[in-house]
Amino acid sequence: MTMHMSAQVSVDAMIEDLRVLVETESPSRDADALAASAKVVASVIASRLGGQAVLIDSEAGPHVHWSGGGDPRVLILGHHDTVFPLGTLGRRPFLVEDGHVTGPGVFDMLGGLVQAVHGLASLDDRSGVEILVTADEEVGSRSSRALIEERALACGAVLVLEGAADGGGLKTGRKGCGTFQVSIAGRASHAGLEPAAGVNALIEAAHQVLDITALGRPEIGTTVTPTVAAAGTLDNVVPAEATVVVDVRVESQGEKERVESAFAALAPHLDEAEISVEGGVSRPPMPESASAGLFAVAQRLLPGIEGKAVGGGSDGNFTAALGVPTLDGLGAVGGGAHADHEYVVIEAMTERANLVAGLVTAIRQG
């Protein structure tokens, strides 16, 4: 398996591009910030790879698409939105020290984007490669899902540049995940004068939380976790309304269907209470079978690299569900996604950039 490299990957150049991306804050749902971020992402891609990176507008913000021309063979997939609000950079600026790069979004997932671009730049031939960098992965990919699926099917193989698993492993499987909101309608009454005239939505919510929690089957990877609840208005009024938000993760399509059916069948315990349910398992599971072929190639290129199935979801869930070979966790080695201590290990950046280049070469030769 030969790789035709036109240039060595430069760590300094990668860090410089990473700085530019991190210092353009890009919180999900902030249209103005994401518009600015998309332009910066497009300029970094175009300056390193040539051609033109096109901005594709959506209600969530612009997605960035670049093509190396020729017959599409491999899609490099990432996102430029981050979970950190504007102003985080002032508190936690981009910093390079002690072998780490820190700053909002470095690990999830701007470091991976930069590595992919520089890995591709090391190849003489960039034909058959597409890059798609979306604007709404952190908030469910509603505006980008159709585009992701279209390009994945057109290319036939997907490399997802989300951060590596703990210890630097690739992500070979992911749970399906989603959020449910259970709304409970009761009836208000005065808690002192006529408590019995009311229908206490908070008591009904307590029953529902226990019923919902019982749906979990952690021994087969299904977790059902109530996360946010609200009820009541005043301390002397029987609560007329309550809501419970639930995080669900599943490893199989069968469990997705079981849990969704169970939520649809939730029944009230109190007379006259009413229940409505919204949501679902919006990201299908990414089975390990989807990554097996590409992971075997990665193991040849980087002997000893490990693969892990993980609980979090990514846009790789969508592409794997279509039956398109998908390998995830190819991005930065580091940790602290969504946290203040987020970091990227500098020493691993070149190896990971070269791994992307090697995978692209192998996929095109296959």
Side-chain angles (χ1 to χ4, degrees):
M1 204 182 297
T2 56
M3 282 195 275
H4 299 288
M5 309 295 243
S6 60
Q8 291 300 306
V9 173
S10 158
V11 175
D12 291 343
M14 282 195 285
I15 289 174
E16 210 36 61
D17 283 351
L18 185 52
R19 176 192 296 276
V20 171
L21 294 182
V22 171
E23 290 185 347
T24 309
E25 291 188 282
S26 54
S28 308
R29 299 196 174 99
D30 186 321
D32 291 342
L34 289 166
S37 170
K39 283 182 181 158
V40 171
V41 170
S43 72
V44 166
I45 291 172
S47 70
R48 297 294 178 189
L49 298 177
Q52 189 186 7
V54 180
L55 301 188
I56 300 171
D57 283 328
S58 79
E59 68 244 21
H63 312 309
V64 183
H65 182 249
W66 176 89
S67 169
D71 187 25
R73 298 291 304 276
V74 56
L75 177 66
I76 288 175
L77 186 55
H79 61 90
H80 65 102
D81 63 318
T82 61
V83 298
F84 302 103
L86 285 182
T88 304
L89 191 67
R91 190 166 54 74
R92 199 154 62 78
F94 183 86
L95 207 57
V96 180
E97 64 179 12
D98 300 331
H100 287 177
V101 184
T102 54
V106 283
F107 177 68
D108 188 8
M109 62 155 284
L110 301 173
L113 278 185
V114 168
Q115 289 168 190
V117 169
H118 282 256
L120 274 187
S122 74
L123 296 176
D124 288 330
D125 175 12
R126 296 159 200 168
S127 64
V129 184
E130 295 189 17
I131 300 175
L132 179 59
V133 188
T134 63
D136 62 346
E137 191 274 343
E138 295 290 6
V139 289
S141 308
R142 273 184 288 280
S143 82
S144 56
R145 179 174 181 175
L147 179 61
I148 290 165
E149 292 178 337
E150 175 201 310
R151 296 327 304 157
L153 286 167
C155 290
V158 179
L159 305 178
V160 185
L161 271 296
E162 293 281 359
D166 289 346
L170 302 180
K171 294 175 178 175
T172 50
R174 284 183 178 277
K175 291 186 181 184
C177 48
T179 305
F180 291 82
Q181 179 165 313
V182 180
S183 302
I184 293 140
R187 185 170 60 245
S189 66
H190 192 294
L193 299 178
E194 45 178 7
V199 177
N200 192 319
L202 177 54
I203 291 176
E204 181 61 60
H207 284 294
Q208 294 301 321
V209 164
L210 296 176
D211 290 351
I212 288 163
T213 303
L215 299 175
R217 290 186 181 167
E219 69 280 0
I220 57 167
T222 301
T223 60
V224 179
T225 311
T227 52
V228 180
T233 51
L234 295 167
D235 58 8
N236 61 355
V237 177
V238 171
E241 293 179 345
T243 57
V244 179
V245 179
V246 188
D247 177 283
V248 171
R249 313 265 164 163
V250 297
E251 281 181 14
S252 69
Q253 187 66 21
E255 279 296 273
K256 166 178 152 62
E257 290 161 10
R258 179 186 70 84
V259 171
E260 287 179 338
S261 299
F263 269 93
L266 289 173
H269 290 246
L270 305 183
D271 289 344
E272 296 185 81
E274 293 178 3
I275 292 172
S276 60
V277 177
E278 291 174 31
V281 179
S282 54
R283 283 185 203 270
M286 172 182 159
E288 292 199 70
S289 57
S291 65
L294 290 172
F295 180 56
V297 177
Q299 285 178 305
R300 287 204 304 275
L301 292 165
L302 207 55
I305 195 162
E306 294 185 339
K308 290 183 181 177
V310 295
S314 83
D315 287 335
N317 291 58
F318 297 135
T319 63
L322 297 170
V324 178
T326 300
L327 185 58
D328 203 339
L330 282 161
V333 176
H338 300 191
D340 273 358
H341 67 282
E342 185 181 19
Y343 69 95
V344 168
V345 176
I346 294 169
E347 192 182 26
M349 291 179 75
T350 302
E351 183 176 81
R352 283 302 162 105
N354 288 333
L355 178 59
V356 172
L359 282 163
V360 165
T361 301
I363 290 165
R364 288 188 310 198
Q365 289 174 348

